[in-house]
Amino acid sequence: MSHQIVNHLVQTCFFVVALTCQPSAFAQRTTTTNSSQNQEQTSEKSPVFGDICLGDPHKVVTEKLRKSSLLELSVNEVYLGRFGLNGSYRTKKTIGGLKCLLYFDWDASSCLKELTMQTQPQSGSEYDGSLKKNWQELIALMTTLNGKPLQGADFPQSSQLQNDMSLNTHLWRLNDGGTAMLGTSKSAEGYMVSVRFVTETIQPVILKK
């Protein structure tokens, strides 16, 4: 399959919940270089968003964000250096009617250890509306890309959430052994839906019947 076809399928999978593409299209293989080694070494990783992979160096992630056709800046490019990457890029298209911002966390070697795709905070009146629709579409999308979740729960009631609290309803194992978690959260600004891609292998919570 050509690189152009793979990229087209990746974009279709991520934003259209007709979900007609194959999961393997999103799991394209990319090559990253570990510059900390004296001898140049490469390792293949599965991307978690577009062509961004967990383990990518900060500089590589920055360049991939800049070139991505899936994303747009949410701030003026002049201020990007001041604000940094967190919250500065968002999806061009909506998912369930909402665009999502990207947030990043780095390990001691400045390599990506966590990527979070999160809606902007919404009022409580939107919790059972646009936020629930976003949550539903993300579940369908993530299931197509990663298979049946290891854990799945109902949409939490807004009353279950307190400020600075999150409730993960779904969990998937990633191809490289990491974990993807989907759920809702609340901050002082409002309610959100997020998908977190992390390098850790997190085990599902077994609920007693």
Side-chain angles (χ1 to χ4, degrees), residues 23-144:
S24 59
F26 191 66
Q28 59 184 7
R29 310 303 292 183
T30 60
T31 302
T32 57
T33 302
N34 186 349
S35 58
S36 65
Q37 301 296 327
N38 292 330
Q39 295 183 346
E40 191 172 73
Q41 297 179 353
T42 60
S43 60
E44 290 187 342
K45 297 180 181 295
S46 298
V48 293
F49 182 92
D51 60 350
I52 297 173
C53 304
L54 295 177
D56 279 347
H58 191 286
K59 183 177 180 180
V60 172
V61 172
T62 301
E63 186 65 13
K64 288 180 177 181
L65 290 170
R66 187 180 67 82
K67 294 180 178 180
S68 176
S69 61
L70 301 175
L71 300 169
E72 62 186 10
L73 280 168
S74 61
V75 299
N76 190 305
E77 189 171 6
V78 175
Y79 302 110
L80 184 58
R82 179 187 301 178
F83 294 121
L85 297 182
N86 282 337
S88 293
Y89 283 90
R90 65 187 175 199
T91 57
K92 285 184 178 179
K93 297 184 180 180
T94 61
I95 303 173
L98 297 174
K99 292 187 176 183
C100 295
L101 299 168
L102 297 188
Y103 295 87
F104 309 88
D105 195 14
W106 313 91
D107 63 19
S109 300
S110 293
C111 292
L112 185 65
K113 69 175 184 179
E114 179 176 330
L115 186 154
T116 300
M117 187 173 68
Q118 182 173 282
T119 63
Q120 290 182 306
Q122 304 293 314
S123 66
S125 61
E126 291 296 322
Y127 188 81
D128 290 319
S130 58
L131 279 175
K132 186 173 184 179
K133 185 178 180 182
N134 175 272
W135 176 83
Q136 291 170 330
E137 291 198 4
L138 282 171
I139 292 171
L141 175 60
M142 291 292 292
T143 299
T144 294

Side-chain angles (χ1 to χ4, degrees), residues 23 138-153 169-175 179-180 204 209:
L138 282 171
I139 292 171
L141 175 60
M142 291 292 292
T143 299
T144 294
L145 301 178
N146 299 285
K148 184 179 179 180
L150 300 179
Q151 172 184 315
T169 60
H170 290 70
L171 181 147
W172 289 266
R173 187 74 64 234
L174 300 176
N175 289 336
T179 308
K209 296 183 178 180

